[in-house]
């Protein structure tokens, strides 16, 4: 493809209120006619959750206040598998993060959060991290790298089977 002769494919989208605030270090994921946006940072870390309808050009703030919803997150990932959003990592580093598996599920149809507890499992689970990448391939989420609290950059590679 010739870059000089192709049309510009970018276009600004006008937004009306309500809409998310300015932010960075957030994550987005698309499903059907919607884009889901979670957390990130403005002047401080955010814990809000939004759904954008690409057809009607409308934002809706979703509930992220249940005990099973994630706390404030930044530099986390979010992937989609069979109508469920999987959010991994991004917690504020503290001693508390060692006791909590950084994986949450959001069932889109039920509009319900679930925190997946894995520390009681006999198998190893990844620790909290930021700035990693995650993709879905087949029936699994693959997580690579990231920054792990005091350890620094990581080349760890983990697979979460959706089951």
């Amino acid at each position: 493809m010739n870059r000089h002769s192709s049309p510009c494919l970018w276009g600004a989208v006008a937004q009306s209120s309500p809409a998310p605030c300015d932010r960075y270090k957030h994550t987005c994921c698309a499903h059907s006619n919607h884009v889901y946006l979670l957390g990130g940072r403005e002047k401080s870390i955010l814990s809000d959750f939004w759904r954008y309808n690409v057809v009607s050009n409308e934002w809706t703030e979703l509930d992220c206040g249940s005990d099973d919803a994630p706390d404030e997150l930044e530099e986390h990932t979010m992937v989609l598998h069979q109508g469920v959003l999987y959010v991994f990592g991004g917690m504020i580093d503290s001693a508390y993060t060692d006791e909590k598996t950084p994986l949450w599920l959001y069932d889109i149809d039920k509009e319900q959060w679930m925190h997946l507890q894995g520390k009681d499992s006999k198998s190893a689970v990844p620790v909290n991290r930021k700035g990693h990448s995650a993709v879905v391939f087949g029936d699994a989420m693959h997580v690579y790298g990231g920054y792990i609290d005091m350890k620094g950059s990581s080349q760890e590679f983990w697979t979460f089977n959706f089951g």
Side-chain angles (χ1 to χ4, degrees):
M1 178 158 99
N2 185 342
R3 286 188 258 165
H4 300 289
S5 64
S6 64
C8 178
L9 300 176
W10 288 97
V13 178
Q15 298 182 57
S16 59
S17 292
C21 65
D22 295 344
R23 69 188 61 220
Y24 60 103
K25 296 185 178 184
H26 58 280
T27 191
C28 288
C29 194
H31 175 62
S32 187
N33 292 326
H34 297 101
V35 175
Y36 292 85
L37 179 146
L38 177 65
R41 175 178 281 278
E42 185 188 28
K43 293 178 183 167
S44 60
I45 296 179
L46 302 165
S47 61
D48 56 349
F49 185 42
W50 293 83
R51 179 181 61 218
Y52 174 71
N53 186 312
V54 297
V55 175
S56 66
N57 188 28
E58 293 178 338
W59 285 100
T60 304
E61 187 166 10
L62 302 173
D63 183 25
C64 203
S66 76
D67 289 341
D68 287 327
D71 298 321
E72 301 161 324
L73 299 176
E74 65 178 355
E75 298 185 80
H76 48 297
T77 53
M78 180 165 52
V79 299
L80 173 78
H81 182 69
Q82 296 183 351
V84 176
L85 297 171
Y86 291 80
V87 177
F88 179 77
M91 292 189 317
I92 307 305
D93 293 320
S94 71
Y96 176 63
T97 61
D98 291 337
E99 301 302 319
K100 191 172 185 179
T101 302
L103 180 62
W104 297 267
L105 286 63
Y106 182 76
D107 187 309
I108 292 172
D109 290 338
K110 294 179 183 176
E111 296 186 348
Q112 185 176 14
W113 283 102
M114 184 173 97
H115 180 225
L116 213 61
Q117 300 288 346
K119 288 292 181 184
D120 298 333
S121 171
K122 291 182 180 168
S123 62
V125 296
V127 297
N128 183 52
R129 65 198 61 224
K130 297 179 183 179
H132 55 283
S133 58
V135 297
V136 172
F137 185 77
D139 284 332
M141 172 176 66
H142 302 273
V143 175
Y144 183 81
Y147 188 85
I148 302 173
D149 196 14
M150 301 302 284
K151 289 183 180 178
S153 297
S154 169
Q155 67 181 56
E156 290 181 358
F157 193 34
W158 290 87
T159 298
F160 176 79
N161 292 303
F162 297 122

